[in-house]
Amino acid sequence: MTFKTGSSWKACFDDTNGRYFCEYGGTMAYDLYEITKEQFDRITEGMTEYEVYKIVDGGRHLFMSADDRCGPPYSIAFDDDYEKLCPWAKVMKAGRTWSDELTDAAVEIFASEENNREQRRKKREERQKKQKEQQQGRICPMQFICYPKCTTCQKAKKWLDANGVAYDERHIKDDKPTLAELKAWHKQSGLPLKKFFNTSGLQYKELHLKDKLPTMSEEEQFKLLASDGMLVKRPLLVGDGFVLVGFKEEEWKARV
């Protein structure tokens, strides 16, 4: 990869796929774009953030967030694959991430997002097809809920694939478990609720949950888990009549 950097921005040429990208901003406002070679060539080291913005504006928006105190903070993933496309990017997230439905509507309305319409429409069609097939019972009910960068999740995924297990993969951070799901999974698993917490995670430690959890009600713990997928222990394998929390090969082999 080839990078150009400046104060609060970075541009990248990824020679593995021949594509160009640029991020700029910080905690108050952040944007990640796919840009053209022409735009990349116009960017030079030492440019200001505003100068870079003037060049990349009009590129294909991949992700943005805002926390400027003019309203509630929010994040928008225009392309769900932004992390795969730009693993180097220091993505700044704020508040709640817009739902697929809200993002689809914004892309259709705003002219500035016109170059995202084709891929958003395709993804929407895929979701609708998947939902229809699920309703008709043609898709395996098993869910593999993971964080792709997690080495344990990678090991579990490799095991599933090696054993020919059919599953639907779900990103635990981008598509976090809901309150209702967590309650159902907890009941089905037969495990203590504390087993659903990612005790090795940064958020767990920053929130001092080791000391706080014993004083919290079960409802408070469920709501906390539902607020951030990174608090939930991973991977999870949810099947017909069982829920497995964390990867233990012998346990998975006995249930799958």
Side-chain angles (χ1 to χ4, degrees):
M1 292 185 180
T2 301
F3 293 99
K4 298 178 182 180
T5 59
S7 177
S8 68
W9 65 265
K10 178 183 282 188
C12 170
F13 167 57
D14 188 339
D15 53 9
T16 64
N17 55 29
R19 297 167 77 170
Y20 300 82
F21 306 94
C22 184
E23 67 172 351
Y24 63 84
T27 55
M28 294 184 65
Y30 172 88
D31 292 271
L32 177 64
Y33 282 90
E34 179 174 8
I35 60 177
T36 65
K37 181 181 185 302
E38 180 185 5
Q39 288 171 308
F40 182 82
D41 289 343
R42 290 171 57 196
I43 297 172
T44 59
E45 300 278 349
M47 277 186 166
T48 66
E49 180 184 324
Y50 181 73
E51 288 173 325
V52 171
Y53 153 74
K54 295 296 287 183
I55 293 174
V56 306
D57 187 40
R60 188 171 76 87
H61 228 157
L62 301 179
F63 185 91
M64 70 165 289
S65 65
D67 187 7
D68 54 12
R69 300 182 182 178
C70 294
Y74 64 90
S75 298
I76 308 175
F78 292 101
D79 190 323
D80 296 334
D81 295 327
Y82 68 92
E83 287 184 313
K84 295 178 182 178
L85 292 170
C86 305
W88 50 268
K90 296 182 179 179
V91 176
M92 305 291 292
K93 297 185 178 182
R96 291 184 176 274
T97 300
W98 283 18
S99 66
D100 285 324
E101 292 75 17
L102 185 57
T103 303
D104 287 340
V107 167
E108 293 295 335
I109 292 171
F110 297 115
S112 60
E113 303 305 330
E114 182 178 4
N115 52 11
N116 259 317
R117 289 175 186 168
E118 182 177 353
Q119 66 93 10
R120 290 298 309 183
R121 289 169 182 171
K122 183 178 180 181
K123 291 284 183 66
R124 183 166 66 247
E125 289 175 0
E126 290 174 353
R127 290 197 308 271
Q128 291 171 344
K129 180 181 179 181
K130 183 176 179 180
Q131 290 170 358
K132 184 177 180 180
E133 289 176 340
Q134 286 175 329
Q135 292 170 356
Q136 294 173 343
R138 292 202 296 264
I139 282 184
C140 173
M142 198 174 299
Q143 281 194 81
F144 175 58
I145 304 161
C146 66
Y147 185 59
K149 295 180 181 179
C150 167
T151 55
T152 304
C153 293
Q154 292 169 3
K155 184 178 179 181
K157 179 179 173 67
K158 185 177 181 180
W159 183 88
L160 290 170
D161 292 339
N163 286 275
V165 179
Y167 60 89
D168 290 327
E169 185 172 340
R170 176 173 169 183
H171 196 303
I172 200 168
K173 185 177 181 181
D174 294 345
D175 188 11
K176 61 188 178 185
T178 66
L179 182 62
E181 286 176 326
L182 288 164
K183 288 184 176 181
W185 297 343
H186 171 243
K187 183 178 180 180
Q188 201 167 30
S189 73
L191 295 171
L193 184 54
K194 65 181 181 180
K195 293 292 185 180
F196 278 76
F197 281 86
N198 178 18
T199 56
S200 61
L202 182 63
Q203 289 89 330
Y204 184 91
K205 296 173 181 177
E206 288 181 342
L207 293 172
H208 306 290
L209 293 181
K210 181 180 179 181
D211 299 321
K212 292 181 180 179
L213 284 183
T215 68
M216 296 173 66
S217 68
E218 191 169 84
E219 185 66 16
E220 289 173 330
Q221 292 181 49
F222 275 123
K223 289 181 179 179
L224 183 60
L225 285 168
S227 71
D228 188 343
M230 298 302 279
L231 285 172
V232 182
K233 186 173 179 64
R234 59 193 186 245
L236 292 117
L237 192 65
V238 181
D240 187 12
F242 69 88
V243 176
L244 301 177
V245 183
F247 179 59
K248 295 180 180 179
E249 185 172 338
E250 292 304 315
E251 182 182 5
W252 283 39
K253 188 182 295 183
R255 296 303 303 269
V256 176

